[in-house]
Amino acid sequence: SDEVLVASFRDLLAVEKEALVQQLDHIAELDRRKLFFHYPSLWAYLVQDLGMEESTAERRIRAARTMCKHPEIRRELESDKLNLSLLEIAQACAHEQQLPIAQVIAQVAGKSCRAARQELGAQYRASELPPDRVRPLDADHFEVRFVAPQELLDRLQEIRGLLAHSHPRASLAELLD
């Protein structure tokens, strides 16, 4: 039934959240004990021996080490006010702005990643915006990165809304075109 499916899915999400915190605990303890056997690092052990994806291993090691230094992060992860993406955003801001991680986590806890980035960006605006970047991907495609003002994002969202009936999954490149 629909009710059983929804309840089962909620249970799976709760188990996943609990398992993540337990994984971080285990990673922290493996790191503390230097239990990565004949591998040169914990990251190498997680990736090469346990088959963890590279960026996942890197992200979880950083999270585990941060959780060890700041035990209050555990409560935020367990309460679902914080996830690995928000933690990563907070870590980057705290490092860049030389702020206590707890202060930044308090600002982002319970927010979406987008809302957290907007709030931190507005409060701790970097003194210098990153330069525009164009990187060739192949003969016909390029990756273009630039900083856009809110007005441009608003216009792109408006265009996306106007074209939603004929182009429901339009990319930014298609919208600009």
Side-chain angles (χ1 to χ4, degrees), residues 28-47:
E29 189 61 16
L30 288 168
D31 195 26
R32 188 184 73 77
R33 295 185 192 186
K34 304 292 183 225
L35 280 179
F36 29 88
F37 308 103
H38 61 277
Y39 293 95
S41 67
L42 177 58
W43 179 87
Y45 171 65
L46 294 177
V47 171

Side-chain angles (χ1 to χ4, degrees), residues 114 153-176:
R114 183 179 197 170
L153 289 177
D154 293 343
R155 280 185 276 170
L156 288 171
Q157 291 300 338
E158 182 181 352
I159 292 168
R160 180 171 273 147
L162 293 170
L163 295 176
H165 66 286
S166 60
H167 298 82
R169 298 176 199 265
S171 68
L172 283 176
E174 291 169 319
L175 292 177
L176 290 169

Side-chain angles (χ1 to χ4, degrees), residues 51-91:
M52 191 177 282
E53 198 277 323
E54 293 175 357
S55 63
T56 300
E58 190 173 313
R59 185 181 224 193
R60 290 184 186 200
I61 290 168
R62 272 196 315 268
R65 288 175 177 165
T66 302
M67 196 170 76
C68 282
K69 292 177 188 169
H70 306 279
E72 66 275 9
I73 290 173
R74 165 188 288 290
R75 285 189 308 275
E76 300 294 337
L77 287 167
E78 289 172 336
S79 71
D80 225 15
K81 291 181 181 176
L82 190 65
N83 57 45
L84 290 183
S85 297
L86 279 174
L87 179 56
E88 202 166 63
I89 291 167
Q91 288 170 314

Side-chain angles (χ1 to χ4, degrees), residues 114-135:
R114 183 179 197 170
R117 281 190 194 99
Q118 286 177 334
E119 181 172 325
L120 294 175
Q123 187 166 359
Y124 305 113
R125 181 152 176 100
S127 58
E128 185 178 310
L129 293 174
D132 294 349
R133 294 189 185 138
V134 177
R135 181 173 66 108

